[in-house]
Each structure stands twice: as structure tokens, then as C-alpha cells.
Amino acid sequence: MDTHLAFHFAPEDCAAGETKAAPRLHLGVCGSIAAYRALDLVRQWQDAGFGVSVTLTPASMDFVGALSFEALGASPVYTAMSGDARVSTPFPHLEPGQNACAMIIAPASAATISRLAQGAADALLACQALAFRGPLVLAPAMNPAMWEHPAVQANVARLCSRGCTLVPPGLGRTACGELGRGRMADLRLVYLAGLRAALPKDLAGVKALVTLGPTREQWDGVRFWTNASTGVMGASLALALWLRGAEVHAVCGPGTPWLPAAEDMPDAPLYRYSVTSAREMFAAASDLWPEMDAGLFTAAVADYSPVPNGPEKFKKSDAPDGFDLHFAPNPDILKTLAASRRQVRPQKVMGFAAESGNLQDAVRGKLYAKQADMLVGNLLSDGFATSSDRVFVADRMGREESWPQLPKPSIAWRLVSWLASL
Ligand code: CTP
């Protein structure tokens, strides 16, 4: 699991409807070679704090067995409408709808998609979906010719028009050897879509800008000035915002972590803009800023760029005794955009600081110097480019907190809650 995806939710973070107190996801598995990948989903959602129940269609059991899911802790695991000694409820077709907060069918076969589109109740999984009032996510997997068929496309369109979330199949070689779109999507997308379906959308309608990663300032044809930022904190924040329903625009420096591409999640695109230099990041962020409601500036922007020597490779023979470099200042993206906030409904601004001196004084100083609403600081001595962090947070209302060492996705989740409360 990538560091920035390793969220862990408490029960109160999850959508708890009147009859759906348990943070549980229900996973439907259809007949496809991709059925074995569903086992990883169970583990990943459990690690994120969810219980997982499973329904295996008869065709899926040619590929994976109920015992594999049970051994991972999935419960209940349904395999038949009646006479299944594994489950105690007399209502296996109703129980997931009563207790799970979202249903994800991954892989979803053409046959099951057809049943769902028709509202057919002739198989257990289709019945459970009919009796499910919560969000439904489909991650289809099938041969590319089947996926392209107008009948399948019409069924999928009908399900999407009813509010079902589609994680489209990926492009590549399928198990049958054909090249095309048909294999189940990247598992990270299915994992995230399941989480998003289960979590409250308290930030629906909010547009958020996130800057992340290092910038790279080119000096000659092969050399550049940069830093060790990984962009994990920014990627975690982008995902935390997106999971809660915000429209996220992530301006990413070089080497930043994977995020879903806009076309991977057609129902809820996350927009990524890849930039290289501080000036490119400034230009991309400035273009977006007037339309945003919040800005989270995590990028480790180079404050200075070496004055470029040109596109050619600088040769050793050009400076046998060494040489001096001259650096020119770059724009301060956070400070400039915070100062140009809208008068009406001004954007909320979160800044960051990695410090080597007195952390609390530096955070308080930057909070005001940069006109941010809140500022998050950490000590370089605790490590740079790590998967977890200890942060000190301060806001303009005078609230200050020091948090213990936490994984970055957990910090991101808390920070988004804080920002939303301002
Ligand atoms: N920042 C920015 N543009 C810059 C420099 C910094 O947007 N050119 C943002 C960072 O994304 C961060 C905050 O400003 O949110 C603080 O960055 P930091 O590097 O800690 O502070 P600096 O202003 O660069 O000051 P110094 O390096 O002297 O500590």
C-alpha cells in the first residue's frame, strides 16, 4: 500500500445512517480472473478500519473460494441464497443492506451488470443490490469486445444514471490475451472508490487547490536544483479532501505520488497538473486560485533558482578552478495568493513549514507573515520525507495543538477537519 493511501478511519468518521451503525463494506465478487484481486481489497479496507462482508457468485468460486475470504477475516461470506451453513441470517438477500454502508462489486461481470440494470432478482448478489439503499460502486472486468458491446454499455449507462459509481476497466492486455479496455481497474482506484462511497461528503461543493512535492530548477542541460520533498503529505491531503467530496486541483512537482487521474474516476474527477519549476507551479496555482474555496500549500517550493547557464551541458573544461552560481528569487506562491484572496467568501489558506529551530515560534511567525488561516509545522530533526510525522498546528483564532507521531494520511484527515471548522 502506498504511504499516502494508508488511511485509517474511526467509526465516527464513517457515514453512519440510522440503521447502518457498523462501518462495514460489502464486496460482491463475480466470475473473472480478477476475482483473486478482491482478496487484497478485503485486507486494504480492513486496514482502513472497515469490516468487510463478501458475496461470491457461483462463477467467482471457480476462481476463488469462500475460505480464502474467511481466512482474511471477511464476515459474513455469502455463497448461496439458502442452505448456506456459513451464515446465520434467514435473510441473506437483505442483511448487507441493513448493515453495510456501501456495496462494491469488484470484479463486476457482464452478467451481474445486466441483472442489476434490469432489476433482476434471480441471483443472490443481484438481490442484495436491489435491497441496498446505500451507495453502489462497480468495477467491471471482462473481455474488451464484451465491454465495448452496446448492450453492456447501455446497462452501465443505466446504472450510472441511477447514481451508481463506475470505476472503468483499465487499458492493457486481458487474461485472454487481447489488448484493449476490459481488465479490472488498478486496485488503488477500487480501494479509494469504496472508501469514498462509505465516507460522509461534508466537503461537497468545495473546490480546493493543493500544491505538493518539490520543484526542480534547471541550471544547464542536465543539472538542476531541488530538494528531498516526496509530496506524500500533499497527496494525502488531496485524497482526504477528495474522499470527503471536495473537487480537488492538485498542482504537483516532479516525482510526486500517484493520484487517480481525472478519467479514472469519471463521477468525481481529481484534477492533477504536473509542473516542474517554482514559476510553473506559481502560474498553474494562480490560474486556478480565483475559482477555489481553499488552498493547501504543502509544496517545498525552491525559494531561489540558479540563473540558467543554457540548454547545453556545462563542461568541466569551462571552469577548471570551480565557479560561483548566482541564484534569483522565485515568487512566494502561498504569500502571493493569500494576499489576493477574494473579498467575498475569501479562500481558506493552510500553509506548512519544515523548521530546524524553534518550531512553535516559526509556525506562529509564518502564520501571520504569510496571512494563512492555519499553519502546520514539523521539525527537520524528526525526519524529512518520512511516512509519519509529529506536527505543531496553529490557527488565526489562537488555537494551537501539538500532535503525537502519526501517519501522514491520519494527519491529513485531521487537518482537513480543522480547516473545515474555520
Ligand atoms: N511557499 C510557497 N512558495 C515559496 C516558498 C514557500 O508557496 N516560494 C509556501 C510553502 O508551500 C509552505 C510555506 O510557504 O506552505 C512555508 O514555506 P517555507 O519553505 O517553510 O518558508 P519560506 O517562506 O520559504 O521561508 P524560509 O525558507 O526562510 O523558512
Side-chain angles (χ1 to χ4, degrees), residues 211 297-299 301-303 331-334 351-355 366 370:
T211 67
F297 298 88
T298 73
V301 186
D303 291 323
D332 188 320
I333 303 171
L334 159 54
F352 283 76
E355 300 294 333
K366 280 185 183 168
K370 303 240 178 192

Side-chain angles (χ1 to χ4, degrees), residues 29-32 57 59 105 107-118 120 122 125-126 138-156 159 169 182:
V29 182
C30 300
S32 157
T57 67
I105 305 186
S109 66
T112 291
I113 288 172
S114 169
R115 283 195 183 93
L116 299 188
Q118 313 311 318
D122 57 347
L125 181 57
L138 289 179
M142 64 194 75
N143 166 273
M146 290 170 73
W147 173 247
E148 286 163 18
H149 197 283
V152 172
Q153 289 300 311
N155 285 337
V156 169
L159 289 167

